[in-house]
Amino acid sequence: MVAMPRWDPNAEDRLREAALELFLEHGYENVTVAEITERAGLTRRSFSRYFADKRDVLFAESERLPAALAHSVRGADETLTPFEALLTALLDVTRGLADEPSLAAQRRAIVHASPELQERGRTKLAAATDAVAEALRDRGTAEFEATLLAEVGVAIFRTAFERWTDQPDQVGLPARIREAATDLATSLGTVDFATLPHP
Amino acid sequence: MVAMPRWDPNAEDRLREAALELFLEHGYENVTVAEITERAGLTRRSFSRYFADKRDVLFAESERLPAALAHSVRGADETLTPFEALLTALLDVTRGLADEPSLAAQRRAIVHASPELQERGRTKLAAATDAVAEALRDRGTAEFEATLLAEVGVAIFRTAFERWTDQPDQVGLPARIREAATDLATSLGTVDFATLPHP
């Protein structure tokens, strides 16, 4: 057995990489925490320092998303419109995301293969939506408009994230966010509300 | 015991109303199918004709949503832009929704009180998103644009639905859909993309 340093600044990353490898090799359900720590050359105690359980390895990053987005929305320049504040927050927060696109793509594939993990992912994004809506309301955005914009902001995030992990070599996640928002503005700009069915 | 007709055209509605009443009185977890059928004055066999289980009483309506939306998107006039086709589908489908707003509001309150039911609701809406995205792709919308528009369409539906059940006496659900879409177009129209942080 190789001697490991007692404190390893890369322990969290190594555990995450080992877990993703094992999940992809054997299927998420069939991997134990013991196998993850063994592959990473670390102890159960190191694992517990960073993650609650093996599911948490996949979602620790998105755990931070609601608070980070809400903080950034609240801190955005007060001259910005609500949607500008929201997009600024999405751009700021995704610039700071630690994930490599290839790791993010692996994680996405693992989550996609399990209905339970997909539900978990949706719950996380719903928490982000709620946090953003509350932050927008704190800026003075009306109740339902805040909900709508927060939902749409998270839809932009989710789609941009998919595209980024699908085509990781082209541009970064913030550029994908900007692209999705621009596409959406263009699509909505084409709508002729007068020709739609009237309620 | 009161004699009931063997075939009752309102059986489904009566079962749904009885279930909602009982869920609100005693909490969703504490209600059995036997209590629902007793309150409705119907048999277990009638219940099974309409619903798989008690959870299904809450979601039978949204079960139909993905196919109905996809069908309407595919059938929309081919001169419509993708977003126009999507909004037309949302307006058409919500015009046909059987629910009374007061029943919808009750259902929303019950679902809101239970994390398990909330997850279930999110899963249903995710199915609607996937179905709409596929229908848009069949109309020739590009891969990621279809995903984005479908997500945003469902965000509009969800917000409109909340507002409609919150203020049921004002206007119908289709009018709330139109209002949310208009609000979103206005919000996005205010965005000055040149001033946003550059990736």
Side-chain angles (χ1 to χ4, degrees):
Chain A
M1 207 180 134
V2 183
M4 300 300 307
R6 290 180 66 85
W7 182 79
D8 180 344
N10 299 317
E12 185 178 354
D13 287 347
R14 277 167 52 202
L15 286 164
R16 186 177 284 123
E17 282 171 36
L20 290 175
E21 275 174 24
L22 287 164
F23 293 161
L24 285 169
E25 286 168 22
H26 305 294
Y28 169 78
E29 285 78 10
N30 305 314
V31 175
T32 64
V33 169
E35 289 166 332
I36 296 169
T37 56
E38 194 193 356
R39 170 78 58 107
L42 290 164
T43 61
R44 170 82 214 201
R45 196 190 291 175
S46 311
F47 184 90
S48 305
R49 201 171 295 145
Y50 301 104
F51 306 108
D53 50 34
K54 74 172 177 172
R55 195 168 66 167
D56 196 32
V57 181
L58 294 168
F59 294 107
E61 191 93 330
S62 51
E63 204 76 64
R64 296 185 264 261
L65 195 62
L69 284 174
H71 179 79
S72 185
V73 165
R74 286 198 178 85
D77 194 300
E78 62 187 18
T79 63
L80 296 182
T81 67
F83 214 94
E84 285 174 338
L86 173 58
L87 285 175
T88 300
L90 285 170
L91 293 169
D92 283 348
V93 168
T94 53
R95 232 186 344 242
L97 273 192
D99 263 9
E100 284 299 309
S102 60
L103 286 185
Q106 285 177 2
R107 201 180 55 202
R108 205 186 121 207
I110 294 158
V111 172
H112 195 76
S114 155
E116 183 217 328
L117 294 175
Q118 281 186 294
E119 282 207 346
R120 176 77 171 186
R122 282 193 286 267
T123 303
K124 292 281 166 196
L125 286 183
T129 305
D130 290 347
V132 166
E134 203 186 310
L136 285 170
R137 279 181 213 114
D138 287 351
R139 286 176 65 94
T141 307
E143 175 80 12
F144 287 101
E145 192 191 349
T147 308
L148 176 63
L149 298 189
E151 294 257 7
V152 170
V154 169
I156 287 171
F157 172 81
R158 182 207 281 272
T159 315
F161 192 86
E162 259 187 42
R163 184 155 207 182
W164 174 61
T165 54
D166 243 53
Q167 297 161 359
D169 300 329
Q170 298 187 357
V171 296
L173 180 53
R176 290 297 186 198
I177 300 269
R178 179 180 265 275
E179 177 186 61
T182 313
D183 284 355
L184 182 61
T186 307
S187 288
L188 264 168
T190 67
V191 174
D192 180 359
F193 284 93
T195 65
L196 295 178
H198 269 77
Chain B
M1 208 179 132
V2 183
M4 299 301 304
R6 290 179 67 84
W7 182 78
D8 180 343
N10 299 317
E12 185 177 354
D13 285 348
R14 278 166 52 200
L15 286 165
R16 186 178 283 122
E17 282 171 36
L20 290 175
E21 275 175 24
L22 287 164
F23 293 161
L24 286 169
E25 285 168 22
H26 305 295
Y28 169 78
E29 286 78 11
N30 304 316
V31 176
T32 64
V33 168
E35 288 165 334
I36 296 170
T37 56
E38 195 193 355
R39 170 78 58 107
L42 291 164
T43 61
R44 170 82 215 200
R45 196 190 292 177
S46 312
F47 185 90
S48 305
R49 202 170 295 146
Y50 300 104
F51 306 109
D53 50 34
K54 76 172 176 171
R55 195 170 65 168
D56 196 32
V57 180
L58 295 167
F59 293 107
E61 191 94 330
S62 52
E63 203 77 63
R64 296 185 264 261
L65 196 61
L69 285 174
H71 179 79
S72 185
V73 166
R74 286 199 178 86
D77 193 299
E78 62 187 17
T79 63
L80 296 181
T81 67
F83 214 94
E84 285 174 339
L86 173 58
L87 286 175
T88 300
L90 285 169
L91 293 169
D92 282 348
V93 167
T94 53
R95 232 189 341 244
L97 274 190
D99 263 8
E100 283 299 309
S102 60
L103 287 184
Q106 285 177 2
R107 202 180 54 200
R108 205 184 122 208
I110 294 160
V111 172
H112 195 77
S114 155
E116 183 218 327
L117 294 175
Q118 282 186 295
E119 282 208 345
R120 175 78 171 186
R122 281 193 286 269
T123 303
K124 293 281 167 196
L125 286 183
T129 305
D130 290 347
V132 167
E134 205 186 309
L136 285 170
R137 279 181 214 116
D138 287 350
R139 287 177 64 96
T141 308
E143 176 80 12
F144 287 100
E145 193 191 348
T147 308
L148 176 62
L149 298 189
E151 294 258 6
V152 170
V154 169
I156 287 171
F157 172 81
R158 182 206 280 274
T159 315
F161 192 86
E162 259 186 43
R163 184 154 206 181
W164 174 60
T165 54
D166 242 54
Q167 297 161 0
D169 300 329
Q170 298 186 358
V171 295
L173 180 53
R176 290 297 186 198
I177 300 269
R178 179 180 265 275
E179 176 187 61
T182 313
D183 284 356
L184 182 61
T186 307
S187 289
L188 264 168
T190 68
V191 174
D192 180 358
F193 282 94
T195 66
L196 295 178
H198 269 78

